[in-house]
Amino acid sequence: MTALDGVRILDFTHVQSGPTCTQLLAWLGADVIKVERPGVGDITRGQLRDLPDADSLYFTMLNSNKRSLTLDTKNPEGKKVLEKLIGSCDVMVENFAPGALDRMGFSWDRIQEINPRIILASIKGFGPGPYEDCKVYENVAQCTGGAASTTGFRDGPPLVTGAQIGDSGTGLHLALGIVAALYHRTNTGRGQRVTAAMQDGVLNLCRVKLRDQQRLEHGPLKEYSQYGEGVPFDDTVPRAGNDSGGGQPGWILKCKGWETDPNAYVYFITQAPVWEKICDVIGKPEWKSDPDYATAPARLPRLKEVFDTIEAWTMTKDKFEVMEICNANDIPCGPILSMKELAEEPSLRATGTVVEVDHPTRGKYLTVGNPIKLSDSPTEVVRSPLLGEHSEEILRGVLGFDDETLEQVRSSGAIGEARREAAE
């Protein structure tokens, strides 16, 4: 039995933030009905295509385990179908622009009138305030949530990260809120609104930098590289390159082959409890008793020299040899793994973190699997649906439409034409 067996989600999301949320719920066993525009569907079906006339990887990797229903909600018959779906679902998830649902005639009051137990979950760019009506994309969220201003090197511009902390990160936050609201409903019988703003989600993931902003009021941030370099701090948290954010000094160091391999690097942390082992490994046993290096506070002004010395050792070995030697000595470090290396890593395939699925129009492709592992509720990743593939199945099985009613909806144009490749 899946963890969310029996939970039905009405998925009115598109692009990345909302689909991340609903895909996670689908992985956990919810029946997710993705509502799409007839003939068009989620815009990402056609974005960044690598194969002509096939759903893009952008779409397929965000919409596993869902069913697709095409529906024209401006069509009178389509609006009736939507009302019935709202009455039949536990959760409705949307990431439309602010006010879009109201303009469709489905305000929160109207949705509650149809189904008092339903949970309406929404992702917006900003919460209430001066920017609440602004359009937000991934990098905008990173910039307005504090991530960009604290990412990059001190002498360079702000940088965004390749991790989709604005879109996917907020989708994960919303999924937790939905599960909490479902649990609350078991005790109260009432639905509620759940919202997650992208700015808020990014800031939540940047909390250590908000921590450092407050620490900065009481003196320099001594674990930052610029302290050891004698560079004074301003009144805001600086960009800190590859400094560790956890208080244990760390840096990315070159390994053998770095001249030709852009990922021949390792992240190395000089954790205080294993300092003596580090000294032995890198061939500097005298540092264990030298007062300039023996203690963590003494090393802080000398971190550049420390990491330069460690790097001279890591450059004699490849990143996996460094990892093996350090791991044997409990020294925390990690190789910089490329996407190619991750895609080919057997252990990630074995745990279902990376999975291969078969698609009727694009063939086999890799996608991410559920990062959350439940011992009694295993996850099976099912390929993404074709546009409108399950429209009639949903109208019959969920709403109980008979042949006559189904034909009436079909002839009105409310559901459009379904893709048939899956059945052939």
Side-chain angles (χ1 to χ4, degrees):
M1 182 177 178
T2 59
L4 294 180
D5 185 54
V7 175
R8 182 172 292 141
I9 311 289
L10 186 57
D11 182 3
F12 258 94
T13 70
H14 57 287
V15 191
Q16 185 180 166
S17 60
T20 297
C21 168
T22 53
Q23 178 171 255
L24 180 58
L25 299 173
W27 281 338
L28 294 173
D31 176 18
V32 176
I33 299 172
K34 184 176 179 71
V35 180
E36 303 183 75
R37 288 186 297 162
V40 179
D42 190 318
I43 192 173
T44 60
R45 285 185 182 269
Q47 285 186 335
L48 305 176
R49 273 185 171 149
D50 57 318
L51 294 174
D53 302 320
D55 289 333
S56 72
L57 288 167
Y58 195 5
F59 176 84
T60 62
M61 294 179 69
L62 285 161
N63 291 281
S64 303
N65 295 56
K66 302 178 185 180
R67 297 196 284 173
S68 173
L69 164 71
T70 49
L71 191 66
D72 180 359
T73 57
K74 295 180 181 179
N75 181 301
E77 289 296 328
K79 186 161 288 191
K80 290 178 185 178
V81 170
L82 178 54
E83 289 182 351
K84 289 182 177 295
L85 284 168
I86 291 172
S88 302
C89 290
D90 299 287
V91 183
M92 182 176 180
V93 189
E94 60 91 16
N95 62 334
F96 293 129
L101 272 184
D102 289 352
R103 292 190 293 273
M104 289 170 59
F106 290 94
S107 64
W108 171 230
D109 288 342
R110 175 60 182 142
I111 290 171
Q112 276 195 308
E113 182 182 323
I114 297 170
N115 183 355
R117 288 175 52 83
I118 199 167
I119 293 156
L120 175 60
S122 304
I123 287 180
K124 301 302 175 194
F126 298 97
Y131 308 117
E132 61 185 297
D133 294 327
C134 295
K135 185 178 290 187
V136 176
Y137 290 91
E138 170 65 42
N139 289 351
V140 173
Q142 289 194 32
C143 291
T144 59
S149 71
T150 56
T151 303
F153 289 90
R154 190 173 64 251
D155 55 355
L159 289 177
V160 295
T161 173
Q164 303 290 283
I165 61 175
D167 276 324
S168 289
T170 308
L172 297 175
H173 282 92
L174 188 68
L176 176 59
I178 289 170
V179 172
L182 285 168
Y183 184 79
H184 177 266
R185 193 181 69 178
T186 64
N187 295 322
T188 66
R190 299 192 308 273
Q192 62 178 301
R193 293 204 69 172
V194 180
T195 59
M198 293 172 69
Q199 182 187 44
D200 299 358
V202 171
L203 179 56
N204 185 43
L205 297 175
C206 292
R207 68 183 69 177
V208 297
K209 298 301 183 180
L210 184 60
R211 172 204 66 191
D212 290 348
Q213 181 62 47
Q214 296 170 87
R215 292 174 56 222
L216 192 56
E217 297 173 6
H218 303 285
L221 305 174
K222 295 182 178 181
E223 78 280 10
Y224 280 53
S225 296
Q226 74 180 70
Y227 172 74
E229 296 170 19
V231 178
F233 285 79
D234 201 345
D235 61 354
T236 188
V237 174
R239 290 183 277 285
N242 291 314
D243 285 340
S244 170
Q248 300 286 347
W251 202 254
I252 289 179
L253 307 176
K254 298 172 183 174
C255 294
K256 182 189 290 185
W258 68 271
E259 298 92 341
T260 56
D261 181 356
N263 294 298
Y265 292 82
V266 67
Y267 197 90
F268 196 106
I269 296 176
T270 56
Q271 188 180 30
V274 292
W275 173 247
E276 293 191 357
K277 291 184 178 181
I278 293 172
C279 293
D280 290 334
V281 163
I282 66 174
K284 297 291 288 185
E286 64 273 20
W287 276 2
K288 290 188 287 186
S289 57
D290 188 327
D292 286 343
Y293 301 94
T295 67
R299 290 191 294 273
L300 287 176
R302 301 170 175 83
L303 285 179
K304 186 178 187 308
E305 180 189 355
V306 168
F307 282 119
D308 284 348
T309 304
I310 297 172
E311 186 173 60
W313 173 77
T314 60
M315 288 172 64
T316 66
K317 294 168 176 54
D318 69 41
K319 61 188 179 184
F320 297 108
E321 290 175 317
V322 173
M323 177 68 171
E324 184 178 356
I325 293 169
C326 287
N327 187 57
N329 287 279
D330 294 323
I331 300 169
C333 76
I336 307 305
L337 297 179
S338 68
M339 282 297 147
K340 184 176 186 294
E341 289 169 318
L342 290 167
E344 296 172 354
E345 172 55 46
S347 65
L348 297 180
R349 300 288 188 97
T351 59
T353 301
V354 175
V355 298
E356 184 179 75
V357 295
D358 202 0
H359 190 275
T361 58
R362 66 173 302 116
K364 294 184 183 299
Y365 67 95
L366 289 184
T367 188
V368 293
N370 191 354
I372 302 170
K373 319 298 184 188
L374 283 71
S375 62
D376 285 354
S377 306
T379 296
E380 177 188 2
V381 176
V382 180
R383 57 98 176 160
S384 61
L386 299 170
L387 180 60
E389 181 179 343
H390 305 97
S391 294
E392 295 189 9
E393 174 184 300
I394 292 166
L395 297 184
R396 289 183 187 276
V398 176
L399 301 184
F401 283 14
D402 57 24
D403 290 343
E404 181 179 350
T405 307
L406 185 59
E407 178 55 35
Q408 180 181 339
V409 173
R410 189 190 297 117
S411 62
S412 74
I415 61 173
E417 291 294 324
R419 292 286 297 272
R420 299 295 183 185
E421 289 90 336
E424 293 177 356

